[in-house]
Amino acid sequence: LGACRVSLSMTEIRAGFTAIKANIQSRDPIRTLSILSHPQSLHKVKSPDRCCITHHLFTFYVDKVFKHCRTEDSFVNRKISSIANSFLSARRKLGQCHEQNNCACGEKSTEKIKQILENYEGLNVTSAAMKSLGELDILLDWMEKSR
Amino acid sequence: GDDLLPAPQSVSIFSTNMKHFLTWSPVIVQGATVRYSVEFQGEYEREHANGSWIPISECSFTAATVCNITEDISASVAYKMRVRAELGSRRSPWQTMKGYFNRITTSLTPPLLSVIADGYHLLVELTDMGPAFQFRVLYWKKGKESMVQQKVTNEVSSVVHLDTMESGAEYCVKAQTHVEAINRSSSFSPTQCVRAQGDSSVWL
């Protein structure tokens, strides 16, 4: 992720998400909105800011999203826990980059993060959390594409 | 009223090669089959989800005193596990394991391998240990220990071709596993040596 060299278990996160993707996305009633891709795709983010965006998005998911995604389905809950704990572990590694100043945010990225938070706050919390979780593959694709 | 069942004791985790098992001592009630339920809590649940616990359905109401928790221990963070006994409507208190478990402490054993001399070809067969495992294979011509070569592979479904050997020469091989997710490697397997077929015919 730019100057920040961090090893993230993407395979495990991807496997956990794939296992529940259909279930989670079927719970998203608002099909015409996106949290991560509105108004601009994540793929428009410049590469030097990758670490900053990744760090902020992991914080967004850990602090705001996962806790509002509890379901009645034990299997889904277990996979969400798996992803959440992987994000927590990854965020800690990214935090070390932050401390070493290898994770700076440019103006455009700061704007993108602000936009994502506004998209999120614009919905009721459960819908926003489920939608964000359902869009996890957008984040994973962007992270793997920009490796 | 219903008296409480005693809680299971000796709750502990055995973890080898990224396979993690929770075990506990049985609760004995004469003439009855006591069952157990298991729950886990990752660092995320402790810090961000009000210390919530998540049941493992495969180990709910189980009569076994062991539970495969590999699927749920899927991040390199500190986990806690707890077990309780159940008999009809009676429940024991939850027994939580002492301390925490992080998969980075799993014990890694050297890989099982068999080295094959197929004519002049040096081959190695590796045992599948799961998707998390990579194999680092070192091989050299006996007597030329300073010229060790290396091959890193995830490939275990088929025989791995290492080298073409000199006629009649002896070659040695050893290997270790590497788990990227926890950034650790096992110790090396014992060295195995094989000899290439001798060549009685002469090329003119």
Side-chain angles (χ1 to χ4, degrees):
Chain A
L1 298 170
C4 170
R5 306 229 46 88
V6 159
S7 82
L8 306 177
S9 305
M10 295 298 289
T11 319
E12 290 175 316
I13 295 172
R14 176 79 74 177
F17 179 68
T18 304
I20 58 171
K21 175 177 174 178
N23 183 302
I24 294 297
Q25 291 183 348
S26 68
R27 295 169 190 263
D28 176 9
I30 313 161
R31 302 295 163 91
T32 54
L33 278 179
S34 169
I35 303 281
L36 298 184
S37 301
H38 173 79
Q40 261 196 349
S41 157
L42 206 48
H43 296 277
K44 289 270 196 295
V45 168
K46 293 287 168 288
S47 59
D49 292 357
R50 270 199 325 270
C51 172
C52 149
I53 288 269
T54 307
H55 187 234
H56 277 278
L57 285 179
F58 274 43
T59 298
F60 164 68
Y61 274 91
V62 166
D63 291 348
K64 285 184 176 294
V65 173
F66 294 127
K67 65 182 69 176
H68 297 296
C69 293
R70 194 88 179 210
T71 74
E72 74 298 335
D73 185 318
S74 165
F75 175 78
V76 171
N77 292 343
R78 287 162 72 181
K79 290 303 174 189
I80 292 174
S81 167
S82 163
I83 297 168
N85 279 288
S86 294
F87 266 52
L88 193 63
S89 174
R91 185 181 71 164
R92 182 172 301 134
K93 294 178 184 173
L94 287 167
Q96 289 155 14
C97 281
H98 234 295
E99 285 150 23
Q100 296 149 15
N101 293 319
N102 287 332
C103 211
C105 272
E107 192 189 325
K108 280 241 168 92
S109 310
T110 306
E111 178 52 34
K112 179 62 185 171
I113 295 156
K114 197 164 137 276
Q115 183 63 65
I116 288 171
L117 293 175
E118 278 169 17
N119 294 343
Y120 186 85
E121 308 298 351
L123 300 174
N124 80 70
V125 68
T126 305
S127 299
M130 259 327 158
K131 178 181 277 298
S132 303
L133 182 55
E135 293 184 3
L136 205 59
D137 47 358
I138 295 173
L139 171 59
L140 299 177
D141 292 346
W142 172 73
M143 287 179 67
E144 285 177 345
K145 194 190 95 176
S146 45
R147 264 193 193 187
Chain B
D2 273 336
D3 51 346
L4 268 180
L5 281 173
Q9 297 300 308
S10 315
V11 179
S12 50
I13 289 178
F14 291 90
S15 174
T16 303
N17 291 330
M18 296 293 269
K19 296 276 191 295
H20 323 299
F21 294 88
L22 184 74
T23 66
W24 56 90
S25 304
V27 170
I28 308 297
V29 175
Q30 287 309 326
T33 303
V34 174
R35 294 182 176 276
Y36 307 92
S37 286
V38 175
E39 294 186 343
F40 72 94
Q41 179 192 75
E43 194 171 327
Y44 173 80
E45 282 72 31
R46 271 194 307 287
E47 290 182 2
H48 296 270
N50 311 309
S52 54
W53 292 86
I54 299 175
I56 298 181
S57 36
E58 292 85 352
C59 302
S60 291
F61 310 111
T62 177
T65 57
V66 59
C67 173
N68 185 343
I69 59 176
T70 302
E71 280 294 308
D72 294 293
I73 305 290
S74 53
S76 299
V77 296
Y79 282 86
K80 270 215 174 273
M81 308 297 306
R82 69 180 186 179
V83 191
R84 76 176 173 192
E86 291 153 351
L87 181 55
S89 62
R90 294 166 63 191
R91 298 278 180 276
S92 80
W94 287 104
Q95 182 70 266
T96 303
M97 61 181 269
K98 290 185 180 58
Y100 296 91
F101 172 71
N102 189 322
R103 65 177 185 174
I104 59 175
T105 62
T106 190
S107 71
L108 295 177
T109 61
L112 297 174
L113 69 152
S114 64
V115 180
I116 305 157
D118 182 4
Y120 295 112
H121 290 268
L122 178 62
L123 312 174
V124 66
E125 208 162 20
L126 296 154
T127 306
D128 188 1
M129 298 177 73
F133 285 79
Q134 223 179 31
F135 296 88
R136 181 166 166 249
V137 184
L138 302 187
Y139 55 97
W140 63 94
K141 185 179 169 188
K142 201 159 189 179
K144 293 273 181 73
E145 276 66 18
S146 60
M147 295 173 66
V148 174
Q149 296 183 72
Q150 159 178 304
K151 180 164 273 194
V152 177
T153 179
N154 302 52
E155 187 50 53
V156 287
S157 57
S158 60
V159 173
V160 177
H161 183 279
L162 295 178
D163 210 345
T164 305
M165 301 186 280
E166 291 168 26
S167 167
E170 196 171 5
Y171 285 72
C172 298
V173 180
K174 65 181 181 179
Q176 65 178 163
T177 64
H178 179 73
V179 180
E180 186 59 35
I182 60 174
N183 196 24
R184 278 184 48 216
S185 298
S186 74
S187 54
F188 275 99
S189 65
T191 299
Q192 289 180 46
C193 301
V194 291
R195 187 178 297 279
Q197 86 174 37
D199 187 6
S200 53
S201 60
V202 176
W203 290 94
L204 297 177

